[in-house]
Amino acid sequence: MSDPKYATLAVHAGQHPDPLTGAVNVPIYLSSTFELNGIGSDKGWDYSRAGNPTRDRLEQALAALEGGTSGHAFASGMAAIYALVATLHSGDHVLVSRNVYGGTVRLFNLIVRHYGIDIEYVDTTDLAVLAAAIRPTTKLLHIETPTNPLMVLTDIAAVSQIAHAKGVEVSVDNTFLSPALQSPLALGADIVMHSTTKFLNGHSDGLGGALIGSKPEHKDKFWLVQKAAGGILSPFECFLVLRGIKTLPLRMKQHEENGRAVADFLATQKKLSRLNYPGLKSHPQHELAAKQQRGFGSMLSFDLGSKEKAGRFLGALKVFLNAESLGGVESLASHSATTTHAALTDENRASVGITDGLVRLSVGIEDKDDLIADLDQALEAV
């Protein structure tokens, strides 16, 4: 058989029947420790912080879906991002996309910088600016594409070429699109990061994060962080992500269809001063999105002009839920300045374009006509 297509991988990668019982679903191995064969000899596992059969299956699936050499599951998306920099040293330099998720900024600014690691935020849409920012001490370029919540894209292939010419690795936060719609490693990146809480899980019932490496040294490095720091994903939540991955291709098709329909509707609304969705031809990076993505996804944001108007809009919604997070089957709406980017100062939010009137939507898989009707009636309150 030739290499399986993506939908087949989603159902079967890492999910072969249990060899002991024949169970089709991966068992949840709720064991903290494992019997040894003798001194220095085990059956593949000794202690669940270092490895667990359920987690192994998820990590195999993640590596297969992203085309990587190894997958690593962590207790949250932030734990995964922390693992990216955990093996760096004082004096190392890290470049980061200018308008990344606020939690990433909080981690880097308030914790990682204290270790003597130099964090610099740069406009990765400007290749000349990026190239000029690379130093002899630069070890990593970490990007989000699209960014949260402004949907700004970075050309993964182009920045990877620039970074690799200077010996710098590239990591890509692929949470907003999932491996169903974007493959950063195939475009030249070295490492992929996910908050598995989002589209990979897909049901808003478990936290998790992941790193997928493309080199043998990534396997050793990230496993060391898992074992030494201990921020690993529990067997039960590994099971939840494995369950979610099976339906990922189907869910993403509906997310995509609904996202496009909602964006087309919002593009006609005069109460919005700005609409950020790369699937619209009016988006300045529409051509890049069409080139490096296999779809435009279901994340978008728009500006209603003020915090008061955003509050009235969010309060009037009936189908969309006013809640943080994204990527679940249910549609969510959130006020970015007081949720995802609350950790930033007013000045920092303004500098990257996070206004008080900005609302982010995660479009779910409900009937698109119901979603549009809900947005329409909520806009009447603005």
Side-chain angles (χ1 to χ4, degrees):
M1 179 179 175
S2 60
D3 291 340
K5 300 293 192 296
Y6 181 77
T8 305
L9 272 180
V11 174
H12 293 287
Q15 307 217 36
H16 46 278
D18 177 55
L20 179 63
T21 66
V24 171
N25 284 319
V26 176
I28 305 172
Y29 285 91
L30 295 176
S31 184
S32 58
T33 191
F34 299 85
E35 182 186 27
L36 305 178
N37 296 326
I39 295 177
S41 177
D42 57 49
K43 299 178 178 67
W45 303 271
D46 56 10
Y47 192 67
S48 270
R49 175 162 36 83
N52 175 280
T54 311
R55 194 172 91 222
D56 285 0
R57 296 288 197 91
L58 172 60
E59 292 176 337
Q60 291 166 19
L62 292 168
L65 291 174
E66 286 287 9
T69 58
S70 64
H72 306 268
F74 295 88
S76 68
M78 296 314 305
I81 292 179
Y82 176 77
L84 272 175
V85 297
T87 58
L88 295 181
H89 300 90
S90 177
D92 287 346
H93 178 234
V94 178
L95 290 170
V96 186
S97 293
R98 182 168 168 265
N99 59 351
V100 292
Y101 166 54
T104 302
V105 175
R106 176 175 53 210
L107 172 67
F108 285 166
N109 288 1
L110 302 183
I111 296 178
V112 175
R113 275 181 170 163
H114 292 169
Y115 303 152
I117 296 170
D118 191 358
I119 306 293
E120 181 180 355
Y121 300 92
V122 64
D123 181 2
T124 51
T125 67
D126 189 323
L127 300 181
V129 167
L130 171 64
I134 296 176
R135 310 174 191 170
T137 55
T138 306
K139 302 298 182 183
L140 180 70
L141 167 63
H142 177 65
I143 63 175
E144 282 181 16
T145 182
T147 60
N148 179 6
L150 297 177
M151 308 303 293
V152 176
L153 275 64
T154 294
D155 188 327
I156 298 172
V159 300
S160 296
Q161 186 175 19
I162 291 170
H164 291 162
K166 298 290 184 70
V168 176
E169 287 200 316
V170 177
S171 62
V172 178
D173 185 335
N174 200 27
T175 298
F176 265 29
L177 291 175
S178 87
L181 298 182
Q182 183 168 261
S183 298
L185 298 184
L187 294 168
D190 302 286
I191 303 161
V192 178
M193 174 268 162
H194 283 280
S195 170
T196 63
T197 310
K198 314 306 193 295
F199 288 106
L200 285 169
N201 175 294
H203 295 80
S204 301
D205 56 8
L207 292 177
L211 294 177
I212 297 92
S214 61
K215 304 172 184 176
E217 55 263 36
H218 293 150
K219 180 177 182 179
D220 296 336
K221 181 169 69 172
F222 297 140
W223 177 79
L224 172 63
V225 178
Q226 287 179 302
K227 183 176 181 179
I232 46 85
L233 194 60
S234 74
F236 180 70
E237 294 197 287
C238 289
F239 165 80
L240 291 178
V241 180
L242 281 166
R243 175 212 56 183
I245 286 174
K246 287 185 177 182
T247 61
L248 179 64
L250 291 173
R251 287 187 287 107
M252 293 308 293
K253 285 181 181 179
Q254 194 61 49
H255 280 298
E256 166 91 0
E257 179 181 330
N258 288 359
R260 291 191 187 207
V262 165
D264 288 341
F265 163 73
L266 291 173
T268 67
Q269 303 304 299
K270 295 182 179 179
K271 293 181 179 179
L272 280 58
S273 61
R274 175 177 52 162
L275 175 59
N276 307 306
Y277 183 69
L280 294 171
K281 291 185 178 179
S282 58
H283 190 283
Q285 295 177 299
H286 174 75
E287 290 185 6
L288 175 58
K291 181 181 77 170
Q292 75 177 10
Q293 302 172 189
R294 290 183 293 277
F296 303 107
S298 60
M299 299 301 302
L300 56 89
S301 62
F302 53 87
D303 199 325
L304 290 171
S306 70
K307 185 176 181 179
E308 179 194 12
K309 289 181 178 179
R312 291 206 301 265
F313 171 80
L314 291 168
L317 290 169
K318 293 178 169 45
V319 179
F320 280 81
L321 303 176
N322 179 6
E324 281 196 69
S325 199
L326 60 103
V329 292
E330 65 286 316
S331 293
L332 303 177
S334 61
H335 182 246
S336 297
T338 55
T339 56
T340 59
H341 287 70
L344 274 63
T345 65
D346 292 344
E347 181 181 2
N348 286 342
R349 282 195 297 271
S351 70
V352 297
I354 309 294
T355 61
D356 284 344
L358 192 71
V359 172
R360 189 191 73 184
L361 299 184
S362 172
V363 182
I365 66 170
E366 303 95 337
D367 188 282
K368 61 187 175 186
D369 292 336
D370 290 337
L371 296 177
I372 290 170
D374 189 35
L375 295 170
D376 192 26
Q377 65 84 23
L379 285 169
E380 292 179 4
V382 176

